[in-house]
Amino acid sequence: MSDAKAGRSGPTTSTYALIPKPANLQCMDLQEYLRTRTPETLEKLYNYPTICLAVYRELPEIARQFVIRILFVEQPVPQAVVASWGSQHYAKYVVLSIPKQSIKTNIFLFREQAASASCLTELNVWRVTAIPGGLSAWELCSTFKKNLKIALLGGGKPWSMSHTLEKDSKPRDIAFLDTYAMARWRCVLHYMVGTGSSNKTQDSEGISPDAVRILLHANLMKRDERDGITITRQGFQFLLLDTQSQVWHFMLQYLDTCEERGLSLPDCLSMLFQLSFSTLGRDYSSEGMSAKMLTFLQHLREFGLVFQRKRKEGRFYPTRLALNITNKHATVPAIINEEDKVQESGYIVVETNYRVYAYTDSPLQVAVLGLFTELLYRFPNLVVGVLTRDSVRQALRGGITAEQIVSYLEQYAHPNMKLTESAIKSKSPLPPTVVDQIKLWELERNRFTYTEGVVYNQFLSQADFVTLRDYAQSINVLVHMNERTRTMVVTKNGHDDVKRFWKRYSKGGG
């Protein structure tokens, strides 16, 4: 609390902060992640050729053309020259203002060129510089330029992982690596939905404490005094992502905490990209790695990104989860098994009596349904549950929203449900009564509307209270008032205006 008094004795003001609403899951790609780093951190990252190559590969097509055309030019290139590289057929101009520069340069570029130029600037790949004659020019960051050349042409220090090994006496094929990777990754997903916290599945070793810390740090799970560690709203959204997006988001959260473990962010990110450039099914040596990178390798092993028979063995196999981890248009196909095929085609039937039928034998899919349904029967390839007030409210208490529940049921609805007459009319495969009831159960818990504001009380006279109340009401910032106790609440944004009015009023003697 803070007291604010101006002129003669005035009302006491108390600021009350609003309880923050639960945020949605923010999934960043590589470019968005790098934009959150400081220029100093980017400069350190660009000392690694693998990181420079990964950044280059993820740039927009026109941005890659810009970089490759000026990579071997040893002097700044005028911006007018770069602008002339665009096709005149798509002549739609926009004004581009380069941020964070001492010289603000406005140049006319094509729409795609403008976006590419802005992207390169934000990632600190190039910068604006002046050339003789007062013209503005583009110049690649020297560190990025040097190490991208190394990545493309060779040279520099050898990578920490290499495949100069004797032939493996017990080689692992791609099918084995795919099975191993998904078994390890599903340990994380099973733990999130409450099926793997204590029991270990027959094809896995269970989840490590390190993975649990990452889930808590990412707010995918939270500690609850009554229920222990439970899934959050963001965690439920995380389960709806595809596997590649899940792994990338999880590794970003790991990188945020790697320095707390004594690991270097540039070293870990470089190692991760080395794995993404590796060949599936080939074994690599870990003999050249430092002790810290060996620790990082073991963490990747726990998450299913690499396979290693024994911790001390100097040989490991990257799995499909690590390959092209940042590439949205990966050339290596994703792991697709029978469970994924069933999920893609839809396996859930919802009836008007709130019964839910799931044609699946996947423990993970059953566990996700169990988050918001009461499971009744389980058969070899069928699970029957029912949506009840208690089961839905339990999910709501955990941070899952009614919209997420409806979205999940719609996303994985059986194809036959989409052919019903009601589905065609309402454009939703779910019965309207079920959708409405789920949202009504949520409204039962959302009976209050929270508004952040400032309380004014302890007025010395009724006239002062009425004057300030009327002014706040006239500018539409009054939230609540009680004339008997001489108390009023104004919005936080309107507090400064009300405070200034009170100072003028009190100095004028009322």
Side-chain angles (χ1 to χ4, degrees):
M1 290 195 199
S2 60
D3 293 341
K5 296 183 180 180
R8 64 186 184 186
S9 298
T12 299
T13 61
S14 305
T15 304
Y16 291 89
L18 180 66
I19 300 175
K21 297 180 179 179
N24 290 325
L25 183 67
Q26 300 295 326
C27 298
M28 296 185 290
D29 57 22
L30 177 59
Q31 290 183 23
E32 291 168 337
Y33 172 73
L34 293 177
R35 288 190 184 104
T36 64
R37 307 294 99 179
T38 63
E40 293 77 16
T41 302
L42 291 176
E43 186 74 16
K44 293 179 182 178
L45 293 177
Y46 292 157
N47 280 308
Y48 294 77
T50 51
I51 297 179
C52 293
L53 180 58
V55 172
Y56 174 75
R57 282 170 39 139
E58 291 299 301
L59 290 174
E61 184 178 356
I62 294 181
R64 292 200 302 271
Q65 291 292 328
F66 286 168
V67 172
I68 205 67
R69 290 185 72 165
I70 65 178
L71 181 62
F72 299 97
V73 178
E74 298 303 327
Q75 62 185 15
V77 179
Q79 292 179 345
V81 174
V82 175
S84 68
W85 292 344
S87 171
Q88 297 295 326
H89 182 68
Y90 301 100
K92 183 174 182 179
Y93 291 92
V94 296
V95 178
L96 171 67
S97 179
I98 306 303
K100 299 181 180 178
Q101 299 292 341
S102 57
I103 303 175
K104 287 190 176 180
T105 309
N106 291 329
I107 58 178
F108 285 101
L109 291 175
F110 298 112
R111 179 177 55 190
E112 292 82 359
Q113 287 178 295
S116 297
S118 177
C119 175
L120 293 172
T121 303
E122 291 170 355
L123 295 178
N124 205 33
V125 171
W126 71 6
R127 58 176 64 94
V128 176
T129 186
I131 57 176
L135 298 176
S136 296
W138 295 118
E139 182 181 38
L140 285 180
C141 168
S142 58
T143 306
F144 182 87
K145 182 177 183 178
K146 170 187 171 184
N147 288 288
L148 181 60
K149 284 183 178 180
I150 293 174
L152 296 177
L153 305 178
K157 297 180 181 178
W159 288 12
S160 57
M161 52 180 276
S162 64
H163 56 270
T164 55
L165 281 169
E166 297 180 1
K167 189 174 181 180
D168 192 355
S169 59
K170 297 179 179 179
R172 301 296 186 179
D173 59 14
I174 294 177
F176 172 84
L177 295 175
D178 287 348
T179 303
Y180 169 82
M182 290 311 299
R184 291 301 313 152
W185 183 245
R186 284 201 181 95
C187 286
V188 177
L189 303 182
H190 278 287
Y191 183 86
M192 291 182 63
V193 295
T195 61
S197 56
S198 58
N199 300 327
K200 297 180 182 179
T201 59
Q202 56 184 349
D203 59 348
S204 65
E205 304 172 6
I207 188 171
S208 67
D210 212 58
V212 176
R213 285 195 291 269
I214 297 172
L215 293 174
L216 293 172
H217 168 78
N219 200 29
L220 301 178
M221 303 193 75
K222 64 180 180 181
R223 294 189 183 276
D224 190 280
E225 296 180 357
R226 182 176 58 180
D227 301 323
I229 298 179
T230 59
I231 192 170
T232 64
R233 175 180 179 176
Q234 293 94 323
F236 189 77
Q237 293 174 337
F238 179 81
L239 294 175
L240 302 182
L241 299 176
D242 60 86
T243 302
Q244 183 184 8
S245 300
Q246 288 176 343
V247 174
W248 173 242
H249 182 75
F250 186 85
M251 290 309 303
L252 285 186
Q253 304 306 315
Y254 178 94
L255 294 173
D256 280 345
T257 61
C258 66
E259 294 184 352
E260 299 175 5
R261 302 177 175 86
L263 303 176
S264 167
L265 172 62
D267 286 344
C268 290
L269 198 56
S270 175
M271 174 70 176
L272 196 60
F273 289 140
Q274 288 182 36
L275 290 171
S276 73
F277 299 145
S278 62
T279 302
L280 185 63
R282 175 177 289 180
D283 55 339
Y284 293 82
S285 173
S286 61
E287 293 181 357
M289 295 184 183
S290 64
K292 292 182 178 180
M293 285 298 96
L294 289 174
T295 300
F296 181 55
L297 183 67
Q298 292 308 312
H299 291 162
L300 297 178
R301 177 183 178 225
E302 293 170 0
F303 307 148
L305 274 71
V306 299
F307 168 77
Q308 191 176 30
R309 274 187 289 270
K310 298 179 181 179
R311 287 176 177 269
K312 295 183 180 180
E313 187 179 28
R315 183 192 310 270
F316 66 92
Y317 291 81
T319 70
R320 204 184 298 266
L321 294 182
L323 268 68
N324 296 299
I325 188 172
T326 66
N327 195 350
K328 299 176 182 177
H329 310 288
T331 56
V332 179
I335 303 173
I336 299 178
N337 51 30
E338 293 301 321
E339 180 178 318
D340 296 327
K341 291 179 181 178
V342 171
Q343 187 158 327
E344 286 180 4
S345 62
Y347 62 96
I348 296 176
V349 174
V350 181
E351 293 185 338
T352 54
N353 59 0
Y354 305 101
R355 286 288 182 102
V356 178
Y357 300 89
Y359 293 90
T360 179
D361 57 359
S362 165
L364 178 60
Q365 293 173 356
V366 173
V368 172
L369 280 176
L371 292 174
F372 54 84
T373 62
E374 181 183 333
L375 300 180
L376 302 178
Y377 315 112
R378 183 164 183 175
F379 302 101
N381 64 341
L382 174 66
V383 175
V384 181
V386 61
L387 290 162
T388 66
R389 181 174 180 270
D390 290 340
S391 65
V392 172
R393 284 173 65 87
Q394 175 67 24
L396 296 173
R397 281 196 294 270
I400 301 173
T401 66
E403 192 62 38
Q404 287 177 328
I405 295 174
V406 172
S407 175
Y408 182 84
L409 294 174
E410 289 179 339
Q411 183 175 350
Y412 298 116
H414 195 279
N416 290 346
M417 289 193 63
K418 301 175 183 179
L419 302 177
T420 62
E421 185 177 348
S422 63
I424 297 174
K425 289 182 178 179
S426 63
K427 297 182 180 180
S428 172
L430 303 182
T433 54
V434 175
V435 175
D436 292 342
Q437 187 59 66
I438 293 174
K439 293 181 178 179
L440 286 174
W441 283 329
E442 182 181 49
L443 290 176
E444 288 180 1
R445 302 185 71 252
N446 299 337
R447 298 178 180 178
F448 296 96
T449 300
Y450 296 94
T451 304
E452 194 170 7
V454 179
V455 176
Y456 285 74
N457 54 16
Q458 299 182 18
F459 288 88
L460 299 182
S461 68
Q462 184 70 13
D464 290 347
F465 168 77
V466 171
T467 301
L468 204 59
R469 179 202 63 189
D470 291 346
Y471 176 75
Q473 200 166 18
S474 67
I475 61 174
N476 296 321
V477 299
L478 183 66
V479 176
H480 170 78
M481 68 93 181
N482 188 317
E483 193 167 350
R484 184 177 60 83
T485 60
R486 294 179 186 172
T487 302
M488 56 181 279
V489 180
V490 302
T491 62
K492 186 177 180 180
N493 293 334
H495 169 56
D496 291 337
D497 288 337
V498 175
K499 187 177 179 180
R500 283 194 293 269
F501 171 80
W502 174 255
K503 286 183 177 180
R504 294 195 304 270
Y505 173 77
S506 57
K507 287 180 180 178

